[in-house]
Amino acid sequence: MSAARRRSAACYTRPAMGETYLIRTFGCQMNKHDSERVAGLLRTAGMTPVDEAADADVVVFMTCCVRDRADERLRGQVASLKSVKAARKGHQTIAVGGCIGQRDGERLLRQLPHVDVVFGTHNVSHLPSLIDASRAGRGSVVEVLEASEEFTSDLPAEREHPWHAWVPITVGCDNFCTYCIVPYVRGRERSRPLEQIVSECERLAAEGVREVTLLGQNVNSYGRDLYGTPRFAEALAAVAQTGVERIRFATSHPKDLSGQTIEAMATIPQVARSLHLPVQSGSDRILTAMNRHYTKRSYLELVDRLYGAMPDLALSTDIIVGFPGETEADFLDTLEVLEHAHYDQAFTFIYSPREGTPAASLGDPVPREISQERFDRLVNVVQHSALAKNRALVDSVQQVLFTGVSKRDANVLAGRSEGNKVVHVPLEPGQHAEEFRGRFAPVMITEAQTWFLSGYILGEAAAGSHNADAH
Ligand code: 5AD
Ligand code: SF4
């Protein structure tokens, strides 16, 4: 990546009071977090959000380049704004940030010249002044930095939900899985000091946040760069003392998940018994080629230890099919992991070569039809596994944090269980969804589908006194 690059002049016209913005976010939870910070910055500049691009004075894209599809969608959406901008007689500032901004910089302008600002993953806080600069000069502005001077979390946030916050504990990644672009666009792993994380969570709890998600590409190595040894389990224990009622975290690299972390999950009531543990492949040969540093056997032993400590654990994973050289035998190893791991959820991906990563120059590509066929078989097995895990929860009581109403029926409340499952509860006559939003309640599960559970609220909470605690 190039060092700081900037085109155009620097006479300033701040994004003005009363102007409007729209943010479109692609990709992972870190991008959702960064978008909440962009929203915080634009709000602080006096702007208000709108839902339609045609009404927006500023449109910001927070982008992802982990797979080709996100790349293509971004290009499609930005291209379609050309006519919107023309209809507004050019009165629209288009900014592209995040991982594609970081990777492509100036190159992006060659394909999409109507973009006004390109920024990267390390300079979110500069966005308002980059918008100013693009408006002041006549050209587009590009600024891509090599590394961060700050954590985006220190910026003001405009959170999507008042009761939930993303809290990055590390940024960047040192693992260099051979298929993955992330270390190149997010930089080396850096941990935030524990006191900063704790004071942020204390403040959030005081503001009414009930659930936080601790974020990092590999949360398990949290603290290694700062303290010489990982301190993730300690971070969980410290955050549990801040008043936050439910703590989630993502993502966990299997090679670094420690016994202390398993114990913390099993014993600290605020820590959700819900774990995202990407396996990527079940074949030792492919795992070596991916640079993952574990085997099928060691992964499954870890899974056994986890279920031994937490029989009710909700486990999810990421799987890639069609990595270069993957044979049917390799794929069958992956299916075997699925059989043993009893996943609640698996995110499945067809391998997408990313320029600049080691795997992109490997030969032996898997033909698309074969990858697709493996993908379809995988999805089938995942669905069966998810349904079996959900059925086992019928007749159990789940603590649900209600988030709103079902997408299909406004008379049905929707929330998330400790295991991060969608739970639906029909509203009783006279009840209003607003009373429940952002509140916990115990729900008796009566029915299980593949991707959601249904039930009814137990006890007092059903009558509208919402003081049910998380645990
Ligand atoms: N192709 C396909 N899937 C990928 N992932 C990361 N890089 C690639 C790639 N090049 C998947 C991994 C990772 C998830 C976030 O995206 O499964 O865990
Ligand atoms: Fe990518 Fe591997 Fe880092 Fe995850 S751990 S972000 S897959 S390099």
Side-chain angles (χ1 to χ4, degrees):
M1 301 299 156
S2 81
R5 293 183 308 225
R6 206 182 264 212
R7 285 202 302 176
S8 134
C11 146
Y12 281 53
T13 354
R14 293 230 132 245
M17 276 291 193
E19 284 200 69
T20 55
Y21 70 86
L22 173 71
I23 302 171
R24 293 212 174 132
T25 308
F26 296 77
C28 68
Q29 297 166 330
M30 196 63 91
N31 268 12
K32 289 185 185 164
H33 163 271
D34 287 355
S35 288
E36 290 188 349
R37 265 42 199 193
V38 167
L41 287 167
L42 298 181
R43 279 275 195 161
T44 307
M47 302 178 77
T48 49
V50 288
D51 295 328
E52 300 295 330
D55 301 328
D57 299 314
V58 174
V59 183
V60 184
F61 290 91
M62 295 301 280
T63 64
C64 168
C65 57
V66 161
R67 285 172 297 277
D68 198 33
R69 189 178 288 187
D71 237 314
E72 279 168 17
R73 273 183 58 218
L74 181 267
R75 276 159 219 279
Q77 288 203 16
V78 176
S80 73
L81 272 194
K82 202 168 175 182
S83 54
V84 174
K85 189 168 173 172
R88 293 175 54 99
K89 300 193 172 44
H91 292 301
Q92 184 169 68
T93 305
I94 302 174
V96 177
C99 296
I100 293 182
Q102 185 72 30
R103 184 194 62 187
D104 291 357
E106 193 113 19
R107 251 199 308 163
L108 199 74
L109 294 178
R110 272 180 247 143
Q111 296 159 331
L112 300 163
H114 59 298
V115 168
D116 303 285
V117 175
V118 180
F119 64 112
T121 54
H122 298 302
N123 55 345
V124 168
S125 67
H126 297 185
L127 180 60
S129 61
L130 294 170
I131 293 173
D132 290 346
S134 85
R135 287 172 171 189
R138 250 174 262 116
S140 307
V141 171
V142 178
E143 187 189 77
V144 176
L145 305 183
E146 294 273 10
S148 305
E149 296 148 13
E150 77 223 335
F151 285 100
T152 341
S153 353
D154 298 333
L155 303 173
E158 182 69 24
R159 290 194 309 274
E160 190 184 351
H161 302 295
W163 61 88
H164 177 266
W166 308 108
V167 178
I169 62 170
T170 67
V171 292
C173 185
D174 286 347
N175 288 307
F176 291 93
C177 302
T178 55
Y179 51 80
C180 186
I181 192 83
V182 168
Y184 307 93
V185 289
R186 287 273 173 187
R188 295 296 76 72
E189 181 177 289
R190 271 203 310 146
S191 301
R192 286 175 78 195
L194 189 52
E195 315 81 70
Q196 250 183 47
I197 296 166
V198 168
S199 62
E200 183 178 354
C201 290
E202 280 168 350
R203 182 177 53 74
L204 291 168
E207 284 172 12
V209 167
R210 311 196 77 178
E211 178 183 276
V212 296
T213 307
L214 306 180
L215 290 181
Q217 303 301 340
N218 176 16
V219 289
N220 304 97
S221 59
Y222 166 74
R224 191 179 281 156
D225 56 319
L226 270 187
Y227 306 115
T229 173
R231 288 176 66 179
F232 181 57
E234 214 179 304
L236 286 175
V239 173
Q241 298 299 313
T242 60
V244 167
E245 289 158 88
R246 186 184 269 168
I247 305 165
R248 300 189 183 284
F249 56 90
T251 288
S252 290
H253 195 306
K255 78 180 165 58
D256 294 315
L257 184 73
S258 69
Q260 289 102 305
T261 297
I262 298 176
E263 201 187 320
M265 290 183 73
T267 57
I268 301 173
Q270 291 87 345
V271 180
R273 293 179 177 198
S274 174
L275 183 68
H276 187 58
L277 193 67
V279 66
Q280 312 297 1
S281 168
S283 153
D284 290 348
R285 211 171 58 81
I286 298 292
L287 286 170
T288 302
M290 287 177 164
N291 193 31
R292 291 289 290 177
H293 297 281
Y294 53 85
T295 61
K296 172 180 161 197
R297 188 169 165 182
S298 67
Y299 181 89
L300 289 177
E301 280 169 3
L302 184 59
V303 167
D304 287 347
R305 274 176 71 198
L306 284 158
Y307 282 128
M310 293 168 282
D312 57 347
L313 175 74
L315 189 64
S316 60
T317 201
D318 290 342
I319 299 171
I320 297 176
V321 292
F323 187 82
E326 183 188 71
T327 63
E328 177 66 13
D330 294 320
F331 179 66
L332 291 176
D333 277 330
T334 302
L335 288 184
E336 232 175 271
V337 170
L338 262 99
E339 233 169 72
H340 283 76
H342 302 290
Y343 292 118
D344 293 81
Q345 163 92 287
F347 300 91
T348 47
F349 308 106
I350 291 178
Y351 170 69
S352 167
R354 303 281 74 197
E355 201 188 316
T357 60
S361 48
L362 290 175
D364 212 5
V366 175
R368 180 76 199 186
E369 323 78 74
I370 294 185
S371 294
Q372 188 64 53
E373 187 258 347
R374 288 181 190 156
F375 180 86
D376 295 343
R377 280 154 75 196
L378 201 57
V379 169
N380 209 308
V381 178
V382 171
Q383 285 179 351
H384 278 92
S385 172
L387 184 58
K389 283 293 277 283
N390 279 358
R391 283 195 172 139
L393 295 175
V394 172
D395 291 336
S396 73
V397 176
Q398 300 293 315
Q399 285 294 342
V400 175
L401 176 56
F402 286 104
T403 50
V405 290
S406 149
K407 279 187 199 132
R408 289 203 215 120
D409 187 345
N411 291 314
V412 175
L413 283 173
R416 291 273 177 173
S417 69
E418 183 175 342
N420 209 16
K421 301 187 182 246
V422 174
V423 179
H424 286 169
V425 174
L427 280 165
E428 304 277 333
Q431 286 180 335
H432 301 283
E434 277 314 313
E435 302 163 27
F436 291 89
R437 218 185 280 267
R439 298 187 185 275
F440 283 99
V443 175
M444 172 61 81
I445 303 299
T446 54
E447 216 187 302
Q449 308 287 340
T450 308
W451 299 128
F452 67 94
L453 303 165
S454 309
Y456 59 88
I457 296 175
L458 283 176
E460 276 184 66
S465 87
H466 313 289
N467 40 16
D469 281 321
H471 291 270

Short mmCIF file of all heavy atoms in Angstrom, two decimals, residues 30-61:
data_model
loop_
_atom_site.label_atom_id
_atom_site.label_comp_id
_atom_site.label_asym_id
_atom_site.label_seq_id
_atom_site.Cartn_x
_atom_site.Cartn_y
_atom_site.Cartn_z
N MET A 30 -16.63 -5.95 11.88
CA MET A 30 -15.71 -4.82 12.07
C MET A 30 -16.16 -3.65 11.18
O MET A 30 -16.09 -2.49 11.58
CB MET A 30 -14.28 -5.25 11.73
CG MET A 30 -13.22 -4.32 12.23
SD MET A 30 -13.18 -4.19 14.04
CE MET A 30 -12.01 -5.47 14.46
N ASN A 31 -16.65 -3.97 9.98
CA ASN A 31 -17.16 -2.91 9.11
C ASN A 31 -18.42 -2.29 9.69
O ASN A 31 -18.63 -1.08 9.57
CB ASN A 31 -17.45 -3.45 7.71
CG ASN A 31 -16.25 -3.29 6.79
OD1 ASN A 31 -15.16 -2.97 7.25
ND2 ASN A 31 -16.45 -3.50 5.51
N LYS A 32 -19.27 -3.13 10.32
CA LYS A 32 -20.48 -2.57 10.94
C LYS A 32 -20.06 -1.60 12.04
O LYS A 32 -20.63 -0.52 12.18
CB LYS A 32 -21.35 -3.68 11.53
CG LYS A 32 -22.02 -4.51 10.48
CD LYS A 32 -22.96 -5.51 11.10
CE LYS A 32 -23.52 -6.42 10.01
NZ LYS A 32 -24.12 -7.64 10.55
N HIS A 33 -19.06 -2.01 12.81
CA HIS A 33 -18.55 -1.13 13.86
C HIS A 33 -18.01 0.17 13.25
O HIS A 33 -18.34 1.26 13.71
CB HIS A 33 -17.43 -1.85 14.63
CG HIS A 33 -16.58 -0.92 15.44
ND1 HIS A 33 -15.45 -0.31 14.92
CD2 HIS A 33 -16.71 -0.45 16.70
CE1 HIS A 33 -14.93 0.47 15.85
NE2 HIS A 33 -15.67 0.40 16.94
N ASP A 34 -17.19 0.06 12.21
CA ASP A 34 -16.60 1.25 11.60
C ASP A 34 -17.70 2.16 11.04
O ASP A 34 -17.60 3.39 11.13
CB ASP A 34 -15.61 0.87 10.50
CG ASP A 34 -14.30 0.30 11.08
OD1 ASP A 34 -14.15 0.29 12.32
OD2 ASP A 34 -13.45 -0.14 10.29
N SER A 35 -18.76 1.54 10.49
CA SER A 35 -19.86 2.36 9.95
C SER A 35 -20.56 3.14 11.05
O SER A 35 -21.00 4.27 10.84
CB SER A 35 -20.88 1.47 9.24
OG SER A 35 -20.33 1.01 8.04
N GLU A 36 -20.69 2.53 12.22
CA GLU A 36 -21.31 3.25 13.33
C GLU A 36 -20.45 4.45 13.71
O GLU A 36 -20.96 5.48 14.16
CB GLU A 36 -21.51 2.32 14.53
CG GLU A 36 -22.59 1.28 14.29
CD GLU A 36 -22.96 0.45 15.53
OE1 GLU A 36 -22.24 0.52 16.56
OE2 GLU A 36 -23.96 -0.26 15.46
N ARG A 37 -19.16 4.33 13.54
CA ARG A 37 -18.25 5.46 13.82
C ARG A 37 -18.37 6.52 12.73
O ARG A 37 -18.35 7.72 13.02
CB ARG A 37 -16.80 4.95 13.90
CG ARG A 37 -16.28 4.62 15.25
CD ARG A 37 -17.20 3.89 16.14
NE ARG A 37 -16.79 4.00 17.53
CZ ARG A 37 -17.27 3.26 18.52
NH1 ARG A 37 -18.20 2.37 18.30
NH2 ARG A 37 -16.86 3.43 19.76
N VAL A 38 -18.48 6.10 11.48
CA VAL A 38 -18.67 7.07 10.39
C VAL A 38 -19.96 7.84 10.65
O VAL A 38 -20.01 9.07 10.55
CB VAL A 38 -18.72 6.36 9.01
CG1 VAL A 38 -19.22 7.31 7.93
CG2 VAL A 38 -17.34 5.83 8.65
N ALA A 39 -21.02 7.11 11.02
CA ALA A 39 -22.30 7.77 11.33
C ALA A 39 -22.11 8.76 12.47
O ALA A 39 -22.63 9.88 12.43
CB ALA A 39 -23.35 6.72 11.69
N GLY A 40 -21.34 8.37 13.50
CA GLY A 40 -21.09 9.27 14.64
C GLY A 40 -20.38 10.54 14.19
O GLY A 40 -20.73 11.64 14.61
N LEU A 41 -19.41 10.39 13.30
CA LEU A 41 -18.66 11.56 12.82
C LEU A 41 -19.56 12.49 12.02
O LEU A 41 -19.52 13.71 12.18
CB LEU A 41 -17.51 11.11 11.90
CG LEU A 41 -16.31 10.44 12.58
CD1 LEU A 41 -15.42 9.78 11.53
CD2 LEU A 41 -15.52 11.47 13.38
N LEU A 42 -20.40 11.91 11.14
CA LEU A 42 -21.25 12.75 10.28
C LEU A 42 -22.35 13.42 11.10
O LEU A 42 -22.70 14.58 10.87
CB LEU A 42 -21.81 11.93 9.12
CG LEU A 42 -20.73 11.34 8.18
CD1 LEU A 42 -21.37 10.56 7.03
CD2 LEU A 42 -19.82 12.43 7.61
N ARG A 43 -22.86 12.69 12.10
CA ARG A 43 -23.85 13.30 13.02
C ARG A 43 -23.23 14.47 13.76
O ARG A 43 -23.84 15.53 13.91
CB ARG A 43 -24.29 12.27 14.05
CG ARG A 43 -25.34 11.35 13.54
CD ARG A 43 -26.72 11.97 13.70
NE ARG A 43 -27.72 10.95 13.53
CZ ARG A 43 -28.96 11.03 13.94
NH1 ARG A 43 -29.38 12.10 14.57
NH2 ARG A 43 -29.80 10.06 13.74
N THR A 44 -21.99 14.25 14.22
CA THR A 44 -21.30 15.31 14.96
C THR A 44 -21.12 16.54 14.07
O THR A 44 -21.14 17.67 14.55
CB THR A 44 -19.93 14.80 15.47
OG1 THR A 44 -20.18 13.60 16.19
CG2 THR A 44 -19.24 15.80 16.38
N ALA A 45 -20.96 16.30 12.75
CA ALA A 45 -20.83 17.43 11.82
C ALA A 45 -22.17 18.07 11.51
O ALA A 45 -22.27 18.96 10.66
CB ALA A 45 -20.15 16.96 10.54
N GLY A 46 -23.25 17.59 12.14
CA GLY A 46 -24.57 18.23 11.98
C GLY A 46 -25.43 17.60 10.90
O GLY A 46 -26.43 18.17 10.48
N MET A 47 -25.03 16.42 10.41
CA MET A 47 -25.79 15.80 9.31
C MET A 47 -26.83 14.81 9.86
O MET A 47 -26.68 14.32 10.97
CB MET A 47 -24.84 15.08 8.37
CG MET A 47 -23.80 15.99 7.79
SD MET A 47 -22.66 15.10 6.72
CE MET A 47 -23.66 14.92 5.27
N THR A 48 -27.85 14.51 9.05
CA THR A 48 -28.86 13.54 9.47
C THR A 48 -28.95 12.39 8.46
O THR A 48 -28.73 12.60 7.26
CB THR A 48 -30.26 14.18 9.59
OG1 THR A 48 -30.51 14.91 8.39
CG2 THR A 48 -30.37 15.10 10.78
N PRO A 49 -29.29 11.17 8.94
CA PRO A 49 -29.33 10.03 8.03
C PRO A 49 -30.60 10.00 7.18
O PRO A 49 -31.65 10.46 7.64
CB PRO A 49 -29.31 8.82 8.99
CG PRO A 49 -29.84 9.33 10.28
CD PRO A 49 -29.54 10.80 10.35
N VAL A 50 -30.49 9.46 5.97
CA VAL A 50 -31.67 9.20 5.13
C VAL A 50 -31.58 7.77 4.61
O VAL A 50 -30.51 7.14 4.67
CB VAL A 50 -31.75 10.18 3.91
CG1 VAL A 50 -32.13 11.56 4.36
CG2 VAL A 50 -30.45 10.19 3.13
N ASP A 51 -32.70 7.26 4.08
CA ASP A 51 -32.73 5.86 3.62
C ASP A 51 -32.46 5.69 2.13
O ASP A 51 -32.11 4.61 1.68
CB ASP A 51 -34.10 5.23 3.94
CG ASP A 51 -34.33 5.16 5.44
OD1 ASP A 51 -33.33 4.99 6.17
OD2 ASP A 51 -35.49 5.28 5.88
N GLU A 52 -32.69 6.77 1.36
CA GLU A 52 -32.56 6.65 -0.09
C GLU A 52 -31.37 7.44 -0.61
O GLU A 52 -31.19 8.60 -0.22
CB GLU A 52 -33.82 7.21 -0.78
CG GLU A 52 -35.11 6.51 -0.40
CD GLU A 52 -35.14 5.06 -0.88
OE1 GLU A 52 -34.50 4.76 -1.92
OE2 GLU A 52 -35.79 4.23 -0.21
N ALA A 53 -30.63 6.83 -1.53
CA ALA A 53 -29.46 7.50 -2.09
C ALA A 53 -29.86 8.82 -2.77
O ALA A 53 -29.12 9.81 -2.71
CB ALA A 53 -28.75 6.60 -3.09
N ALA A 54 -31.06 8.84 -3.37
CA ALA A 54 -31.49 10.05 -4.08
C ALA A 54 -31.62 11.25 -3.14
O ALA A 54 -31.52 12.40 -3.56
CB ALA A 54 -32.83 9.79 -4.77
N ASP A 55 -31.82 10.97 -1.84
CA ASP A 55 -31.98 12.07 -0.87
C ASP A 55 -30.68 12.42 -0.14
O ASP A 55 -30.67 13.29 0.73
CB ASP A 55 -33.01 11.65 0.21
CG ASP A 55 -34.35 11.31 -0.38
OD1 ASP A 55 -34.69 11.94 -1.41
OD2 ASP A 55 -35.03 10.42 0.15
N ALA A 56 -29.59 11.72 -0.47
CA ALA A 56 -28.38 11.87 0.34
C ALA A 56 -27.39 12.85 -0.27
O ALA A 56 -27.04 12.74 -1.45
CB ALA A 56 -27.71 10.51 0.51
N ASP A 57 -26.93 13.81 0.55
CA ASP A 57 -25.86 14.71 0.10
C ASP A 57 -24.52 13.98 0.11
O ASP A 57 -23.63 14.30 -0.66
CB ASP A 57 -25.80 15.94 1.02
CG ASP A 57 -27.11 16.72 0.98
OD1 ASP A 57 -27.61 16.96 -0.13
OD2 ASP A 57 -27.65 17.05 2.07
N VAL A 58 -24.40 13.04 1.03
CA VAL A 58 -23.16 12.25 1.12
C VAL A 58 -23.54 10.77 1.17
O VAL A 58 -24.40 10.37 1.95
CB VAL A 58 -22.36 12.62 2.40
CG1 VAL A 58 -21.16 11.69 2.57
CG2 VAL A 58 -21.91 14.07 2.37
N VAL A 59 -22.92 9.94 0.31
CA VAL A 59 -23.12 8.49 0.38
C VAL A 59 -21.76 7.86 0.69
O VAL A 59 -20.77 8.13 -0.01
CB VAL A 59 -23.66 7.90 -0.94
CG1 VAL A 59 -23.91 6.40 -0.79
CG2 VAL A 59 -24.95 8.60 -1.35
N VAL A 60 -21.73 7.06 1.75
CA VAL A 60 -20.46 6.41 2.14
C VAL A 60 -20.61 4.91 1.99
O VAL A 60 -21.57 4.32 2.50
CB VAL A 60 -20.10 6.73 3.61
CG1 VAL A 60 -18.74 6.13 3.97
CG2 VAL A 60 -20.11 8.23 3.86
N PHE A 61 -19.67 4.29 1.30
CA PHE A 61 -19.66 2.83 1.19
C PHE A 61 -18.53 2.29 2.07
O PHE A 61 -17.38 2.69 1.91
CB PHE A 61 -19.39 2.41 -0.26
CG PHE A 61 -20.53 2.71 -1.19
CD1 PHE A 61 -20.59 3.92 -1.88
CD2 PHE A 61 -21.54 1.79 -1.38
CE1 PHE A 61 -21.65 4.19 -2.73
CE2 PHE A 61 -22.61 2.05 -2.23
CZ PHE A 61 -22.66 3.26 -2.91
#
